[in-house]
Amino acid sequence: MATRVLAQAQETPNFLVPNATSIVVFVIFLLILFFFYRFVVPPLTKAMAEREEMNRKQVEDRDNAQRKLAEAEQRYDKALAEARGEAAKIRDEARAEAQKIRDDMKAETDREVAEIHRRGEEQLATQREEAVRSLRAEIGGLSTQLAERVLGRSLPGDGSYRSTVDEFLSELDRNGDEAGAQNSNTGGKR
């Protein structure tokens, strides 16, 4: 019996004492763990750190780009507003200059028209005076011829009739001037 108990005791494993298989599996596990820790984890950690650094740089670059875009948009809006203001100012100046040119041209044209009108009136007055002088001379001669025909005889050549003819023409001039003054006062209506 005692041998039997010993034989049985040898056959039943003690759960407190590990068997060799468990120790070998545990050692292999430790070797694999060491291998991963030594050769696999550092490159993965390094790659993850590089990736994280790259992401951080991309975020910074994006933030910088957005800030620069906002600044550029502000500068663009400011420049656009200034350009619009400048364009409005130039347009207003051009309008004012055009109005001034129009006013100057109108004033110049009015002066030229007034000058042409004045010269025309002077020429007309000169021509009227020449016509009146010419007609006076002709009327005097014609009235003498008419008087000679009416009387049937020739008038004396001493010129005594000349004062009568001149008085008659002066009276006609006065009557003509009075009629012209009345026409100008009434606007040319009779």
Side-chain angles (χ1 to χ4, degrees), residues 40-90:
V40 175
V41 171
L44 285 177
T45 306
K46 183 179 175 186
M48 288 176 59
E50 288 174 355
R51 177 78 171 182
E52 191 175 306
E53 181 65 23
M54 186 174 65
N55 286 342
R56 188 186 60 75
K57 280 187 178 183
Q58 285 178 348
V59 168
E60 285 179 3
D61 291 345
R62 186 197 67 209
D63 290 344
N64 286 340
Q66 285 178 342
R67 183 178 44 79
K68 287 179 182 178
L69 177 64
E71 290 173 358
E73 285 176 347
Q74 287 176 348
R75 286 193 309 267
Y76 172 77
D77 290 342
K78 183 180 177 184
L80 186 62
E82 288 176 0
R84 285 182 179 156
E86 188 69 24
K89 180 181 171 186
I90 290 170

Side-chain angles (χ1 to χ4, degrees), residues 117-135:
H117 186 66
R118 184 189 60 76
R119 280 187 279 159
E121 286 179 355
E122 287 176 357
Q123 287 178 352
L124 190 62
T126 304
Q127 289 174 356
R128 182 177 178 271
E129 287 176 13
E130 286 178 21
V132 166
R133 269 189 257 122
S134 170
L135 287 176

Side-chain angles (χ1 to χ4, degrees), residues 175-190:
N175 289 340
D177 288 342
E178 288 174 8
Q182 283 180 344
N183 284 342
S184 65
N185 289 339
T186 59
K189 296 180 183 175
R190 292 186 180 187

Side-chain angles (χ1 to χ4, degrees), residues 30-182:
L30 287 177
L31 285 174
I32 290 174
L33 194 63
F34 176 75
F35 176 77
F36 272 100
Y37 180 75
R38 180 78 173 148
F39 296 107
V40 175
V41 171
L44 285 177
T45 306
K46 183 179 175 186
M48 288 176 59
E50 288 174 355
R51 177 78 171 182
E52 191 175 306
E53 181 65 23
M54 186 174 65
N55 286 342
R56 188 186 60 75
K57 280 187 178 183
Q58 285 178 348
V59 168
E60 285 179 3
D61 291 345
R62 186 197 67 209
D63 290 344
N64 286 340
Q66 285 178 342
R67 183 178 44 79
K68 287 179 182 178
L69 177 64
E71 290 173 358
E73 285 176 347
Q74 287 176 348
R75 286 193 309 267
Y76 172 77
D77 290 342
K78 183 180 177 184
L80 186 62
E82 288 176 0
R84 285 182 179 156
E86 188 69 24
K89 180 181 171 186
I90 290 170
R91 190 174 45 244
D92 291 343
E93 288 175 357
R95 284 183 185 148
E97 186 68 25
Q99 185 62 39
K100 182 181 177 212
I101 290 170
R102 267 187 252 130
D103 292 344
D104 290 348
M105 289 177 73
K106 184 178 179 198
E108 182 65 27
T109 303
D110 289 346
R111 281 193 295 273
E112 289 175 4
V113 166
E115 180 63 24
I116 290 170
H117 186 66
R118 184 189 60 76
R119 280 187 279 159
E121 286 179 355
E122 287 176 357
Q123 287 178 352
L124 190 62
T126 304
Q127 289 174 356
R128 182 177 178 271
E129 287 176 13
E130 286 178 21
V132 166
R133 269 189 257 122
S134 170
L135 287 176
R136 276 182 189 253
E138 286 181 29
I139 287 177
L142 289 175
S143 64
T144 305
Q145 287 177 358
L146 182 62
E148 287 176 350
R149 280 189 186 172
V150 169
L151 294 175
R153 64 182 174 96
S154 246
L155 293 176
D158 62 356
S160 59
Y161 61 87
R162 193 56 119 167
S163 63
T164 306
V165 171
D166 286 340
E167 280 180 36
F168 176 71
L169 290 176
S170 296
E171 190 175 314
L172 279 179
D173 280 341
R174 278 192 300 264
N175 289 340
D177 288 342
E178 288 174 8
Q182 283 180 344

